[in-house]
Amino acid sequence: MTIDPLVLMTDVDQATETLLRALEELDGAVIGEPSALPGWTVGHVLTHLARNAEAYTNLLIWARTGAETPAYASREARDAAIEEGAGRPLAEQIADLRAAHERFADAAAAMPAAAWTFRYPSIVPSAAVVPWARLREVEVHHVDLGRGYTPADWSDAFALRLLREIAGDPPASAPAMVLRPAGVEHPITIGTPAGNTPAIGGPTRSIAAWLAGRADGADLTVSPDGELPQPARWK
């Protein structure tokens, strides 16, 4: 997958449109039903996705103008906005998500080339990473809705980049392992492999979903034979 932020914005547009089309086919009652994320309803996930688009819009404005515009006023404000918006009707949630995405896309389109090199003090390393971060939010949380979209629907390029991202910056408690995604020439390691470090094989999507806590790894292999290690909690 390219690291060109403008090319990635095309992927964000496509992923968002796929999500919106899927939402338009759902019954309105789905808003109050549980999602695949513990403690969150479908409405919580959708509201989070809309507010996240606004948060990343803020970061792009910061990069373009130089005026500090944090993603969120605070963690508490973020959480409160999600709670406040979670119970809204489905049609209102869809309209909100579409409008938030359009503002994000407009902010990306307004970025001069030099602004993509802007570096933040935290959250994401640079403005160029923001489109990837948004794509990751849309694709992973579409799965989290628990309404038929699964990691099998991810592109190979998205799954491999997600896998590499998690492996490249694993949680501190992550066990050492060697990942061997099908079709990828070189193994990907987490931690410092030793003689007994397990090697995990399988489809790229399946390994990425397992590492991200969105699959149980039932279709993965372990060498030497044994149980899959427990991946550390991610995001």
Side-chain angles (χ1 to χ4, degrees):
M1 178 178 286
T2 179
I3 60 171
D4 185 325
L6 293 179
V7 174
L8 279 172
M9 282 304 303
T10 299
D11 295 330
V12 175
D13 289 339
Q14 292 173 346
T16 303
E17 191 56 37
T18 296
L19 170 61
L20 290 168
R21 286 199 304 268
L23 294 174
E24 289 167 351
E25 297 177 359
L26 298 178
D27 184 274
V30 75
I31 283 297
E33 295 176 358
S35 73
L37 290 177
W40 270 17
T41 64
V42 169
H44 283 92
V45 176
L46 295 182
T47 300
H48 166 61
L49 277 169
R51 301 291 73 77
N52 173 264
E54 292 180 341
Y56 285 143
T57 297
N58 288 342
L59 292 184
L60 293 184
I61 291 172
W62 185 352
R64 178 172 57 83
T65 67
E68 185 171 349
T69 314
Y72 299 99
S74 67
R75 177 74 185 199
E76 293 74 20
R78 168 195 177 274
D79 295 346
I82 293 171
E83 284 297 331
E84 182 180 351
R88 294 170 299 156
L90 178 60
E92 184 178 334
Q93 298 251 26
I94 292 173
D96 181 25
L97 181 54
R98 185 180 295 278
H101 168 69
E102 290 173 353
R103 290 191 293 271
F104 176 66
D106 288 346
M111 291 277 284
W116 289 112
T117 65
F118 182 86
R119 301 191 70 82
Y120 303 99
S122 61
I123 304 178
V124 292
S126 72
V129 178
V130 171
W132 159 252
R134 179 58 185 170
L135 178 62
R136 182 187 63 210
E137 289 288 315
V138 174
E139 288 285 10
V140 173
H141 286 315
H142 194 169
V143 170
D144 291 335
L145 290 174
R147 296 302 181 278
Y149 191 82
T150 74
D153 295 303
W154 292 342
S155 71
D156 282 334
F158 173 82
L160 182 58
R161 180 159 182 169
L162 179 64
L163 190 163
R164 290 188 184 279
E165 180 181 59
I166 298 172
D169 186 22
S173 59
M177 63 183 83
V178 178
L179 308 174
R180 299 185 181 277
V184 176
E185 183 176 357
H186 301 291
I188 299 168
T189 61
I190 294 178
T192 303
N196 60 347
T197 300
I200 314 302
T204 302
R205 295 179 183 89
S206 298
I207 297 177
W210 171 68
L211 285 176
R214 269 66 183 184
D216 61 9
D219 58 341
L220 302 180
T221 62
V222 186
S223 179
D225 290 341
E227 294 186 0
L228 276 172
Q230 181 65 41
R233 182 174 177 80
W234 174 78
K235 304 261 181 219

